[in-house]
Protein backbone atom coordinates (compact mmCIF):
# COMPACT_ATOMS: atom_id res chain seq x y z
CA UNK A 1 0.00 0.00 0.00
CA UNK A 2 2.91 2.39 0.60
CA UNK A 3 4.70 1.57 -2.65
CA UNK A 4 4.36 4.77 -4.75
CA UNK A 5 4.94 2.96 -8.02
CA UNK A 6 1.88 0.75 -7.52
CA UNK A 7 -0.73 3.29 -6.41
CA UNK A 8 -2.67 0.34 -5.01
CA UNK A 9 -6.33 0.82 -4.02
CA UNK A 10 -8.39 -1.73 -2.09
CA UNK A 11 -12.13 -2.21 -2.53
CA UNK A 12 -13.59 -4.65 -0.02
CA UNK A 13 -16.96 -6.12 -0.96
CA UNK A 14 -19.39 -7.13 1.78
CA UNK A 15 -22.79 -8.78 1.69
CA UNK A 16 -25.39 -9.35 4.37
CA UNK A 17 -24.19 -12.54 6.15
CA UNK A 18 -27.76 -13.88 6.20
CA UNK A 19 -27.81 -13.71 2.40
CA UNK A 20 -24.31 -15.21 2.25
CA UNK A 21 -25.42 -18.13 4.44
CA UNK A 22 -28.54 -18.65 2.33
CA UNK A 23 -26.51 -18.80 -0.90
CA UNK A 24 -23.90 -21.07 0.64
CA UNK A 25 -26.57 -23.49 1.90
CA UNK A 26 -28.08 -23.73 -1.59
CA UNK A 27 -24.68 -24.56 -3.06
CA UNK A 28 -23.51 -26.63 -0.09
CA UNK A 29 -21.94 -29.51 -2.00
CA UNK A 30 -20.09 -27.23 -4.43
CA UNK A 31 -18.67 -25.21 -1.53
CA UNK A 32 -17.77 -28.08 0.76
CA UNK A 33 -14.06 -28.15 -0.13
CA UNK A 34 -13.80 -24.34 0.10
CA UNK A 35 -15.50 -24.40 3.52
CA UNK A 36 -13.06 -26.98 4.84
CA UNK A 37 -10.15 -24.82 3.62
CA UNK A 38 -11.60 -21.76 5.37
CA UNK A 39 -11.94 -23.72 8.61
CA UNK A 40 -8.36 -24.96 8.30
CA UNK A 41 -7.18 -21.37 7.89
CA UNK A 42 -8.62 -20.56 11.32
CA UNK A 43 -6.75 -23.44 12.91
CA UNK A 44 -3.49 -22.39 11.24
CA UNK A 45 -3.96 -18.84 12.52
CA UNK A 46 -4.65 -19.87 16.14
CA UNK A 47 -1.65 -19.71 18.46
CA UNK A 48 -0.14 -23.03 19.44
CA UNK A 49 0.37 -24.05 23.03
CA UNK A 50 -1.81 -25.31 25.86
CA UNK A 51 -5.36 -26.26 24.99
CA UNK A 52 -7.57 -23.23 24.83
CA UNK A 53 -11.30 -22.86 25.19
CA UNK A 54 -12.74 -23.75 21.82
CA UNK A 55 -15.33 -21.37 20.41
CA UNK A 56 -18.69 -23.03 19.90
CA UNK A 57 -19.91 -23.20 16.33
CA UNK A 58 -23.03 -21.06 16.29
CA UNK A 59 -24.28 -21.85 12.80
CA UNK A 60 -25.15 -25.48 13.35
CA UNK A 61 -28.54 -27.16 13.41
CA UNK A 62 -29.60 -28.15 16.97
CA UNK A 63 -28.34 -31.55 18.04
CA UNK A 64 -25.85 -31.68 15.19
CA UNK A 65 -22.93 -32.50 17.44
CA UNK A 66 -24.10 -34.83 20.16
CA UNK A 67 -21.52 -35.39 22.89
CA UNK A 68 -18.56 -34.08 20.90
CA UNK A 69 -18.93 -36.67 18.15
CA UNK A 70 -18.22 -35.91 14.50
CA UNK A 71 -21.23 -34.67 12.56
CA UNK A 72 -23.45 -37.25 10.88
CA UNK A 73 -22.79 -37.57 7.14
CA UNK A 74 -26.10 -35.93 6.19
CA UNK A 75 -25.17 -32.86 8.31
CA UNK A 76 -21.47 -32.66 7.47
CA UNK A 77 -21.90 -30.04 4.73
CA UNK A 78 -23.94 -27.77 7.03
CA UNK A 79 -21.34 -28.21 9.76
CA UNK A 80 -18.53 -27.03 7.49
CA UNK A 81 -20.58 -24.26 5.87
CA UNK A 82 -21.64 -22.84 9.22
CA UNK A 83 -18.15 -22.96 10.65
CA UNK A 84 -16.70 -21.33 7.54
CA UNK A 85 -19.19 -18.44 7.70
CA UNK A 86 -18.15 -17.81 11.32
CA UNK A 87 -14.52 -17.61 10.23
CA UNK A 88 -15.45 -15.25 7.38
CA UNK A 89 -17.38 -12.96 9.74
CA UNK A 90 -14.48 -12.90 12.21
CA UNK A 91 -12.13 -11.90 9.38
CA UNK A 92 -14.57 -9.18 8.29
CA UNK A 93 -14.67 -7.82 11.82
CA UNK A 94 -10.87 -7.70 12.02
CA UNK A 95 -10.75 -5.87 8.67
CA UNK A 96 -13.47 -3.41 9.68
CA UNK A 97 -11.79 -2.58 12.98
CA UNK A 98 -8.42 -2.20 11.26
CA UNK A 99 -9.94 0.17 8.67
CA UNK A 100 -11.66 2.16 11.40
CA UNK A 101 -8.36 2.72 13.28
CA UNK A 102 -6.19 3.08 10.18
CA UNK A 103 -4.08 6.19 9.57
CA UNK A 104 -5.28 8.67 6.95
CA UNK A 105 -2.94 7.46 4.20
CA UNK A 106 -4.43 3.96 4.49
CA UNK A 107 -8.04 5.15 4.66
CA UNK A 108 -7.50 7.09 1.42
CA UNK A 109 -6.51 3.84 -0.33
CA UNK A 110 -9.30 1.66 1.06
CA UNK A 111 -13.07 1.69 0.56
CA UNK A 112 -15.93 -0.62 1.31
CA UNK A 113 -18.76 -1.66 -0.94
CA UNK A 114 -21.93 -3.35 0.21
CA UNK A 115 -23.48 -5.66 -2.37
CA UNK A 116 -26.92 -4.33 -1.46
CA UNK A 117 -25.89 -0.74 -2.24
CA UNK A 118 -24.46 -1.78 -5.60
CA UNK A 119 -27.67 -3.60 -6.49
CA UNK A 120 -29.95 -0.75 -5.42
CA UNK A 121 -27.92 2.07 -6.98
CA UNK A 122 -25.61 0.46 -9.55
CA UNK A 123 -24.75 3.65 -11.47
CA UNK A 124 -24.00 5.73 -8.38
CA UNK A 125 -21.90 3.00 -6.76
CA UNK A 126 -20.01 2.32 -9.99
CA UNK A 127 -19.19 6.03 -10.31
CA UNK A 128 -18.08 6.17 -6.66
CA UNK A 129 -15.79 3.16 -7.11
CA UNK A 130 -14.23 4.40 -10.32
CA UNK A 131 -13.76 7.90 -8.85
CA UNK A 132 -12.02 6.24 -5.88
CA UNK A 133 -9.77 4.38 -8.32
CA UNK A 134 -9.11 7.51 -10.36
CA UNK A 135 -10.81 6.10 -13.46
CA UNK A 136 -13.54 7.41 -15.75
CA UNK A 137 -16.86 5.65 -16.28
CA UNK A 138 -17.19 4.38 -19.86
CA UNK A 139 -20.85 4.40 -20.99
CA UNK A 140 -20.56 0.75 -22.01
CA UNK A 141 -19.60 -0.19 -18.45
CA UNK A 142 -22.65 1.61 -17.04
CA UNK A 143 -24.82 -0.30 -19.50
CA UNK A 144 -23.19 -3.59 -18.54
CA UNK A 145 -23.76 -2.99 -14.81
CA UNK A 146 -27.41 -2.11 -15.37
CA UNK A 147 -27.90 -5.19 -17.55
CA UNK A 148 -26.31 -7.50 -14.95
CA UNK A 149 -28.33 -6.12 -12.04
CA UNK A 150 -31.66 -5.43 -13.75
CA UNK A 151 -32.20 -8.57 -15.80
CA UNK A 152 -35.64 -10.00 -16.43
CA UNK A 153 -35.62 -12.69 -13.73
CA UNK A 154 -33.87 -14.01 -10.66
CA UNK A 155 -32.91 -17.67 -10.33
CA UNK A 156 -32.65 -18.54 -6.67
CA UNK A 157 -31.79 -22.14 -7.53
CA UNK A 158 -28.41 -21.15 -8.97
CA UNK A 159 -27.03 -18.48 -6.62
CA UNK A 160 -23.54 -18.31 -8.09
CA UNK A 161 -24.56 -18.24 -11.75
CA UNK A 162 -23.15 -15.11 -13.36
CA UNK A 163 -25.82 -13.82 -15.67
CA UNK A 164 -28.14 -10.87 -16.23
CA UNK A 165 -30.84 -11.09 -13.57
CA UNK A 166 -32.84 -8.92 -11.22
CA UNK A 167 -30.30 -8.83 -8.41
CA UNK A 168 -32.62 -6.74 -6.25
CA UNK A 169 -34.58 -9.91 -5.55
CA UNK A 170 -31.40 -11.59 -4.30
CA UNK A 171 -30.98 -8.95 -1.60
CA UNK A 172 -33.85 -10.26 0.52
CA UNK A 173 -34.19 -13.84 -0.73
CA UNK A 174 -32.80 -15.11 2.58
CA UNK A 175 -35.96 -13.87 4.35
CA UNK A 176 -38.07 -16.45 2.55
CA UNK A 177 -35.63 -19.34 2.79
CA UNK A 178 -33.84 -19.24 6.15
CA UNK A 179 -35.66 -20.31 9.29
CA UNK A 180 -35.88 -17.89 12.21
CA UNK A 181 -33.40 -20.05 14.06
CA UNK A 182 -30.91 -19.89 11.19
CA UNK A 183 -31.28 -16.10 11.05
CA UNK A 184 -30.71 -15.81 14.81
CA UNK A 185 -27.63 -18.03 14.57
CA UNK A 186 -26.10 -15.97 11.77
CA UNK A 187 -26.84 -12.74 13.65
CA UNK A 188 -25.24 -14.17 16.81
CA UNK A 189 -22.11 -15.27 14.94
CA UNK A 190 -21.77 -12.15 12.78
CA UNK A 191 -23.51 -9.49 14.86
CA UNK A 192 -20.54 -7.18 15.48
CA UNK A 193 -19.56 -7.02 11.81
CA UNK A 194 -23.22 -6.64 10.80
CA UNK A 195 -23.61 -3.72 13.18
CA UNK A 196 -20.58 -1.89 11.78
CA UNK A 197 -21.86 -2.50 8.24
CA UNK A 198 -25.40 -1.33 9.19
CA UNK A 199 -27.13 -4.65 8.42
Amino acid sequence: LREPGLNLRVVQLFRDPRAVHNSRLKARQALLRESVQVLRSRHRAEPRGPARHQQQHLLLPPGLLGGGRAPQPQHRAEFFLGGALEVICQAWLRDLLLARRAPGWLRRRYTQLRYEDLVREPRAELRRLLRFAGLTVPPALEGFVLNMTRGAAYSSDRPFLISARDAREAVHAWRERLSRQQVRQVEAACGEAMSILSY
Side-chain angles (χ1 to χ4, degrees):
L1 283 168
R2 292 182 190 220
E3 173 57 50
L6 291 179
N7 193 22
L8 181 67
R9 305 293 170 113
V10 176
V11 177
Q12 188 167 10
L13 175 65
F14 293 97
R15 188 172 182 201
D16 187 324
R18 296 164 293 199
V20 171
H21 193 54
N22 180 52
S23 293
R24 291 174 64 82
L25 284 174
K26 284 187 282 187
R28 66 178 53 129
Q29 292 306 322
L31 293 175
L32 189 56
R33 182 177 293 181
E34 179 266 350
S35 296
V36 171
Q37 291 172 338
V38 169
L39 283 170
R40 285 182 179 153
S41 73
R42 170 169 49 190
H43 296 301
R44 283 194 299 270
E46 289 177 349
R48 303 205 186 274
R52 298 169 41 231
H53 172 69
Q54 293 293 319
Q55 181 179 359
Q56 179 185 5
H57 292 283
L58 299 174
L59 299 174
L60 303 177
L64 182 64
L65 292 176
R69 294 189 307 270
Q72 297 298 314
Q74 66 269 27
H75 297 300
R76 194 167 288 142
E78 285 187 50
F79 171 80
F80 290 124
L81 286 171
L85 184 60
E86 280 187 61
V87 174
I88 290 167
C89 284
Q90 290 165 3
W92 284 4
L93 181 59
R94 284 191 305 271
D95 292 344
L96 290 164
L97 294 175
L98 174 66
R100 189 180 265 184
R101 295 186 292 249
W105 67 265
L106 178 56
R107 283 197 306 270
R108 286 188 294 274
R109 294 182 173 275
Y110 170 85
T111 193
Q112 299 164 355
L113 172 64
R114 293 183 342 153
Y115 171 81
E116 295 78 8
D117 297 333
L118 180 62
V119 165
R120 287 187 188 109
E121 298 291 336
R123 284 185 175 139
E125 287 299 312
L126 177 64
R127 287 186 193 119
R128 180 180 73 83
L129 289 175
L130 292 176
R131 193 169 44 248
F132 167 75
L135 301 171
T136 58
V137 183
L141 186 55
E142 266 196 12
F144 175 79
V145 168
L146 275 178
N147 178 55
M148 294 302 284
T149 58
R150 299 290 191 270
Y154 167 66
S155 171
S156 63
D157 297 328
R158 302 179 71 187
F160 297 104
L161 177 68
I162 299 173
S163 63
R165 57 182 173 166
D166 191 348
R168 293 169 295 188
E169 290 186 36
V171 170
H172 297 296
W174 60 269
R175 292 181 181 191
E176 298 171 10
R177 291 176 178 80
L178 293 183
S179 69
R180 285 186 174 159
Q181 180 183 5
Q182 288 171 315
V183 170
R184 282 194 298 267
Q185 289 173 331
V186 171
E187 290 171 350
C190 303
E192 287 183 81
M194 291 174 70
S195 177
I196 294 172
L197 291 164
S198 300
Y199 284 124

